[in-house]
Amino acid sequence: MNPSITVSVNGERCELPAGRRLDALVAERSPSRSGVAVAVDGEVVPRASWPETVLADGAEIEILTAVQGG
């Protein structure tokens, strides 16, 4: 059995493999990395830190995408 963690992504609880990094989650959830911002537990994570940010059990993640329009 593979270890897993439970996190919240944009308010939706989901199970992920333990050791999942933020950049992999964003790649799965967002079709484009352009115009994307991410917060983990209420703190914005700079894009340069995504590959080294390992998600913890119980983390609350918000993936936000800028939308053009008027």
Side-chain angles (χ1 to χ4, degrees), residues 27-42:
E28 290 172 5
R29 299 287 179 129
S30 181
S32 171
R33 289 176 59 129
S34 178
V36 175
V38 181
V40 177
D41 296 329

Side-chain angles (χ1 to χ4, degrees), residues 32-69:
S32 171
R33 289 176 59 129
S34 178
V36 175
V38 181
V40 177
D41 296 329
E43 297 289 327
V44 174
V45 179
R47 185 180 305 268
S49 297
W50 293 0
E52 62 197 42
T53 302
V54 178
L55 300 171
D57 190 49
E60 294 189 17
I61 302 136
E62 294 292 329
I63 301 173
L64 307 169
T65 306
V67 177
Q68 283 187 302

Side-chain angles (χ1 to χ4, degrees), residues 6-16 29 59-62:
T6 301
V7 300
S8 172
V9 180
N10 293 347
E12 177 186 326
R13 294 185 60 81
C14 63
E15 195 169 303
L16 301 173
R29 299 287 179 129
E60 294 189 17
I61 302 136
E62 294 292 329

